[in-house]
Amino acid sequence: MNDKPTSAKKAPSSRPDGVVTLEQVAELAGVSPSTVSRILNGTAAVSQVKKDAVHAAIQELGFRPNPVARGLAGGKTLSIGVVTQIISSPFYGEALLGIERELERAGYVPLFVSGNWHEDDERKAIETLLSRRVDGVIVLAGRIADAELAKVSDNLPVVVVGRQLSGPQLFSFSFDNREGARLATQHLVEQGHRRIAFIAGDLLHDDAVERQNGYFDALAAAGIAQDPNLIVQSDYTEAGGMLSVSRLLERDTHFTALFASNDQMAIGACLGLHRRNLRVPDDVSLVGFDDLIMARYSMPPLTTVRQSVYEIGTEAAKAMLDMLRGSQPKATLPGPELVVRESTRRMQR
């Protein structure tokens, strides 16, 4: 078919309901409807002149592509299900933003559902997403069994963040939590601290276990014995960090530094120390993990381990798009980086 664009073509009349159709765009651009469709999908091997004509017609008519119709025509919904844990969490908020922006560039829409760190909720979330006929599922951490995620991947691509899984349609990746925690603890050792308390996350989570192991690694390298009285387990929340400080102090155990295994608990711990008339960093040096935005604006600004949470989201989305295109998925994350701010100082002898 000869699809040469015509010039000075009169705009076609619109439908009575005011909706501009793909056929109207094609008529104004002087090409076939199939050519317009291929240009919109990014699959058209046509000249730049035709592309320019189509885009000019779209602009003039105010045409809005219907993603649902485009997806159904290709047997897809152009939607990706995302099982997060706590949507209100600043950590997951950054990751979800990264996922949303990366999928949007490729014409996909994310559907977010909370798992609430509860296996039954996560299972229900996945069932809900499957009932919506999503084209793939991204799972951020969680507690649902690996075997169940593998079963889901029998029918559609699955990307899991924070675990180590693999399969024909199953891809996972994680941050080097152990090395990050080792760096955090080593920093405190280098500042002269030997009585270093540690607030662990929920040890049912792989990342919490790895961060605790990194803490142990740094102590062992410095020749410091582990002291169970200096370790409390919490839940990755600000309230959990504040309560953990109370538990540590109630043990009447002396410490000059505290490593909380995420920023939210570190900020809660800072408040807990303040309420006990302990100053950060004059009395207790404090380190967190994640480098969330709040860490930069806490009082004092928080020394922490940077992991790009936003980039974790974009990499998860990229891996999913790779799988949908039939390519080998991959994820490239920078290694952990210690960010030193005003919440730590050299121990005064």
Side-chain angles (χ1 to χ4, degrees):
M1 180 180 290
N2 184 1
D3 278 339
K4 292 182 180 179
T6 59
S7 60
K9 199 169 183 69
K10 182 179 178 181
S13 59
S14 60
R15 288 177 12 177
D17 58 10
V19 175
V20 178
T21 66
L22 184 141
E23 287 74 17
Q24 289 173 299
V25 173
E27 183 180 346
L28 181 59
V31 299
S32 68
S34 63
T35 296
V36 175
S37 179
R38 292 197 307 275
I39 289 173
L40 290 173
N41 290 328
T43 60
V46 298
S47 69
Q48 189 60 46
V49 172
K50 290 181 181 178
K51 290 181 180 179
D52 291 344
V54 168
H55 289 304
I58 289 172
Q59 185 71 23
E60 181 176 339
L61 295 174
F63 174 70
R64 295 181 179 180
N66 185 333
V68 175
R70 288 168 55 199
L72 292 176
K76 297 181 178 181
T77 61
L78 297 179
S79 61
I80 302 298
V82 182
V83 180
T84 182
Q85 296 307 322
I86 307 294
I87 286 181
S88 61
S89 161
F91 177 90
Y92 288 106
E94 288 192 34
L96 297 180
L97 181 61
I99 290 172
E100 182 178 45
R101 288 182 175 172
E102 193 64 37
L103 291 179
E104 186 180 54
R105 293 189 186 101
Y108 283 81
V109 174
L111 302 180
F112 299 124
V113 186
S114 287
N116 303 309
W117 288 115
H118 194 284
E119 187 174 344
D120 288 341
D121 287 354
E122 292 169 24
R123 188 177 296 112
K124 181 180 177 181
I126 290 175
E127 290 172 355
T128 298
L129 293 170
L130 295 180
S131 71
R132 298 297 182 95
R133 297 177 60 196
V134 294
D135 298 328
V137 173
I138 297 172
V139 179
L140 301 179
R143 291 183 174 174
I144 193 167
D146 292 351
E148 290 191 57
L149 293 175
K151 186 174 181 180
V152 173
S153 73
D154 289 341
N155 299 307
L156 79 174
V158 175
V159 173
V160 184
V161 177
R163 302 199 200 182
Q164 295 298 323
L165 302 171
S166 63
Q169 290 196 105
L170 180 60
F171 177 75
S172 67
F173 67 96
S174 60
F175 184 72
D176 193 345
N177 290 286
R178 186 166 187 161
E179 174 62 11
R182 188 195 68 78
L183 289 173
T185 311
Q186 177 181 282
H187 169 68
L188 294 171
V189 171
E190 291 172 348
Q191 298 303 302
H193 299 280
R194 296 185 67 83
R195 299 289 297 172
I196 303 171
F198 176 61
I199 305 177
D202 186 341
L203 296 177
L204 291 175
H205 305 165
D206 290 346
D207 59 350
V209 173
E210 289 300 301
R211 292 178 193 185
Q212 179 169 269
N213 286 337
Y215 165 74
F216 291 153
D217 289 345
L219 294 183
I224 301 172
Q226 295 178 22
D227 183 349
N229 286 325
L230 290 175
I231 302 171
V232 292
Q233 183 179 328
S234 192
D235 60 359
Y236 280 152
T237 67
E238 293 88 348
M242 184 173 65
L243 292 173
S244 294
V245 164
S246 295
R247 289 169 59 193
L248 284 167
L249 294 174
E250 286 166 3
R251 295 174 183 176
D252 200 25
T253 300
H254 176 65
F255 57 92
T256 62
L258 174 60
F259 170 34
S261 54
N262 78 340
D263 289 346
Q264 290 171 255
M265 290 197 298
I267 288 170
C270 190
L271 177 58
L273 291 167
H274 170 75
R275 288 183 172 175
R276 295 296 190 102
N277 295 317
L278 293 170
R279 298 165 299 169
V280 176
D282 295 343
D283 299 313
V284 177
S285 284
L286 180 63
V287 178
F289 197 114
D290 288 332
D291 195 27
L292 300 178
I293 290 176
M294 64 173 65
R296 305 165 204 175
Y297 300 103
S298 63
M299 286 298 293
L302 184 65
T303 295
T304 186
V305 174
R306 175 177 294 158
Q307 63 167 330
S308 177
V309 182
Y310 178 87
E311 193 166 354
I312 287 173
T314 62
E315 290 298 306
K318 287 177 181 178
M320 174 57 68
L321 294 171
D322 285 341
M323 297 174 78
L324 291 170
R325 294 165 182 149
S327 303
Q328 183 66 31
K330 59 183 181 296
T332 304
L333 293 176
E337 175 189 355
L338 180 72
V339 181
V340 179
R341 298 193 179 101
E342 290 95 318
S343 68
T344 54
R345 61 177 292 181
R346 179 166 292 279
M347 183 179 175
Q348 302 300 304
R349 300 293 182 182

